[in-house]
Amino acid sequence: MKTIKSYILLTISLLFLVACTDGFEDLNTDKNKATADTYNPVYNLTRAQLEFAGNHDFSYETWRVNIIYCSMMMQQLSNASWYAGDKYQANNGWASSYFDVAYNDQVKYAVDLLQITKDKEIYANLYQIARIMKVMIFQRFTDIYGDLPYSQAGQGYYSRIFTPEYDTQEFIYNDMLKELEEAAAALDPALDEPGSGDLIYGGDTEPIVKWKKLAYSLMLRIGMRLTKRNETLAKTWVEKAVAGGVFTSNADNAFISHDETGGRNTVNRNSNILSGEWDATGNSEVFLSKTFVDFLKNNDDPRLTYMATVQGSGSVDPDDQIGLPNGLDQNGGATDISTDPDFPGSINNYSTIRADVFLDLSGATFFMNYAQVELLLAEAGKRGWTVGGTAKEHYDKGVTAAMTQLSQYNSAATISASDINDYLVDHPYDDANGYEQINTQYWAASFLDWYETWSNWRRTDFPNLVPVDYVGNATGGKIPRRMLYPSSEASTNAANFAKAIENQGDNTFLTRVWWDKE
């Protein structure tokens, strides 16, 4: 059982106590040398995982990048008021928010864990897990912004580097693949286990086996991200991942379960924003997009019953669901919601996320799932690569996994095998439209992880989303290709920032990251 529960509160307390008692130690003690009887470094793993799930106070980056921008741009959610991503409006503070917090709230703990466990036999596996965790953190991070401080990141204390150089995304990607290959090969089930402090696999009977599968599954995802930039290299790494052993069922899914009793320290961050403390789905702020509802509704998708509810009436009947089009407002003009041909008379009659399934404050945050793995394998199979099955076989497994995964959010959302089979019979894999079909299902299978939805859309341009062209938008009616660096970087790390801009391009929404080749 993957759970945060009271362990997080204990972890935070212990971290605080460790910090507060440093002054009482002998000045000649090497504080960088951790031993089993003085400090358990798994606390850093706990904190890295929790922060990666969006633990920053006020859900800062989760709200602003994952929800305000990515979910709206990817037309799974919509908004008729101030959510800038719905209409591609520029807000530097929101678009740079992930950069603002990731180094202190995510990278720091992964780097500290690496420093503490390196070359220590009692932490042999924990060190490799730290390498994998760092890759998971940095893949999302670099996919959002492109070039980043990477090799010198988190080295302020250890190496006194306070203005780190930006590495190119190409360098970061190559190094992440190397790290995964080495870490996966070095993991040994006969050696140390992280225990309950590992919020992802700590409750599993074979956690080291699961971490090895996660490493190869991340390798698969990173390899597939290279398809536009270097297809030969992509093929090499994808086939390595398959040979190593990727996820084989939903039991392998990488996620953590939250605990609402711990308040902001432990609650699910998407849920806290969308239905909890901020209640964006209950205050007429966030709705399901027409694009997403229509996809589910027009295909008689059994997920719709569990994903959507009419905000005003609470109906979950698929026939009652109406998605709010992106790019509308409530200003009484040409883009007012009343101009929607399907306008249901009130904004409260549009559909929003079914909170009892997806937005429990103690619910799960998924980092990578089996459905994504199978759909990536389906695309690789269509490309003719050696992935242990045909595109159709992997496609069917991917769709099945995506539908059955809903029960991991809430057991009440269990879709029967017969319903899934009926869906696959009615919507069989069509190789002629394989890339679109596979990646549209990937879009649906990544619901709530809108960082990943956006990245895979940029790689494949599927599904075929029709951009909005709202008056005053920042992109000329084009869906953004990256988020914005903080304006403070131009002053606090000026020389390195300037080199990054010279290498990558202007700090705008339309500058593409390295792998997003036109």
Side-chain angles (χ1 to χ4, degrees), residues 12 42 68 73 105-106 117 136 144 182 237 290 315 338 345 439 471 473 476 492:
I12 293 171
V42 77
I68 288 179
M73 298 186 309
D105 290 4
Q106 299 175 28
T117 58
M136 189 156 60
I144 293 172
E182 293 178 359
W237 283 106
K290 174 180 172 61
S315 173
S338 62
N439 287 291
V471 175
N473 75 81
T492 60

Side-chain angles (χ1 to χ4, degrees), residues 467-506:
V468 304
D469 195 5
Y470 191 81
V471 175
N473 75 81
T475 64
K478 297 179 181 179
I479 298 174
R481 310 298 296 197
R482 66 180 286 276
M483 290 291 103
L484 307 176
Y485 294 131
S487 57
S488 60
E489 278 292 285
S491 56
T492 60
N493 195 11
N496 292 319
F497 177 76
K499 290 179 182 177
I501 296 300
E502 181 181 359
N503 175 70
Q504 181 167 266
D506 292 339

Side-chain angles (χ1 to χ4, degrees), residues 318-348:
D319 291 337
D320 294 339
Q321 306 309 318
I322 300 175
L324 174 67
N326 296 90
L328 297 183
D329 56 39
Q330 298 178 78
N331 298 334
T335 51
D336 189 86
I337 58 172
S338 62
T339 63
D340 173 17
D342 297 320
F343 181 58
S346 167
I347 194 169
N348 290 318

Side-chain angles (χ1 to χ4, degrees), residues 399-421:
V399 173
T400 299
M403 292 187 178
T404 55
Q405 183 196 341
L406 268 59
S407 64
Q408 290 183 312
Y409 286 104
N410 187 319
S411 59
T414 299
I415 300 175
S416 70
S418 61
D419 284 346
I420 297 172
N421 183 68

Side-chain angles (χ1 to χ4, degrees), residues 93-377:
W94 297 349
S96 64
S97 61
Y98 201 96
F99 193 108
D100 284 333
V101 305
Y103 285 108
N104 287 335
D105 290 4
Q106 299 175 28
V107 174
K108 165 185 165 53
Y109 295 103
V111 171
D112 284 351
L113 183 57
L114 287 166
Q115 292 285 343
I116 294 168
T117 58
K118 186 177 182 180
D119 298 326
K120 292 183 173 62
E121 186 176 350
I122 61 171
Y123 300 131
N125 280 333
L126 187 55
Y127 175 73
Q128 307 307 331
I129 289 170
R131 298 172 82 180
I132 298 165
M133 191 68 217
K134 183 183 174 186
V135 169
M136 189 156 60
I137 289 169
F138 264 104
Q139 189 195 4
R140 180 196 289 173
F141 198 180
T142 187
D143 285 351
I144 293 172
Y145 296 103
D147 294 1
L148 288 173
Y150 172 76
S151 55
Q152 295 183 347
Q155 294 298 319
Y157 176 77
Y158 300 102
S159 303
R160 315 305 289 173
I161 298 174
F162 303 115
T163 54
E165 295 179 357
Y166 282 63
D167 290 302
T168 67
Q169 187 175 65
E170 180 178 11
F171 174 87
I172 295 170
Y173 257 69
N174 288 332
D175 192 71
M176 290 192 299
L177 289 164
K178 175 193 72 70
E179 287 291 286
L180 290 175
E181 183 174 35
E182 293 178 359
L187 285 171
D188 185 348
L191 300 178
D192 58 296
E193 295 182 358
S196 60
D198 174 10
L199 303 180
I200 300 176
Y201 295 127
D204 285 271
T205 57
E206 296 182 307
I208 305 306
V209 172
K210 292 292 181 71
W211 273 101
K212 188 182 287 280
K213 285 186 177 183
L214 176 57
Y216 285 119
S217 298
L218 288 169
M219 185 185 293
L220 166 67
R221 184 165 74 184
I222 292 172
M224 288 300 292
R225 207 77 101 220
L226 301 177
T227 52
K228 286 202 296 188
R229 174 55 67 175
N230 188 331
E231 187 166 359
T232 300
L233 187 61
K235 177 178 183 291
T236 296
W237 283 106
V238 166
E239 291 182 347
K240 278 187 182 183
V242 173
V246 296
F247 289 172
T248 55
S249 76
N250 278 332
D252 296 328
N253 287 345
F255 69 93
I256 65 175
S257 295
H258 294 265
D259 176 19
E260 66 177 304
T261 65
R264 285 183 179 168
N265 288 321
T266 60
V267 297
N268 183 293
R269 297 315 235 180
N270 281 324
S271 301
N272 191 40
I273 298 157
L274 294 170
S275 72
E277 182 179 3
W278 307 106
D279 199 16
T281 56
N283 292 325
S284 299
E285 289 183 351
V286 171
F287 297 86
L288 288 172
S289 169
K290 174 180 172 61
T291 304
F292 192 54
V293 171
D294 285 357
F295 167 75
L296 298 171
K297 194 171 182 178
N298 294 342
N299 290 293
D300 293 321
D301 195 309
R303 287 173 287 193
L304 180 59
T305 298
Y306 303 107
M307 300 185 90
T309 180
V310 177
Q311 188 179 79
S313 69
S315 173
V316 296
D317 187 331
D319 291 337
D320 294 339
Q321 306 309 318
I322 300 175
L324 174 67
N326 296 90
L328 297 183
D329 56 39
Q330 298 178 78
N331 298 334
T335 51
D336 189 86
I337 58 172
S338 62
T339 63
D340 173 17
D342 297 320
F343 181 58
S346 167
I347 194 169
N348 290 318
N349 292 330
Y350 284 110
S351 301
T352 191
I353 303 172
R354 186 167 165 180
D356 61 324
V357 174
F358 285 98
L359 302 179
D360 189 329
L361 291 175
S362 295
T365 294
F366 285 83
F367 301 142
M368 189 166 192
N369 64 47
Y370 171 55
Q372 293 169 334
V373 167
E374 284 293 352
L375 291 166
L376 291 172
L377 293 175

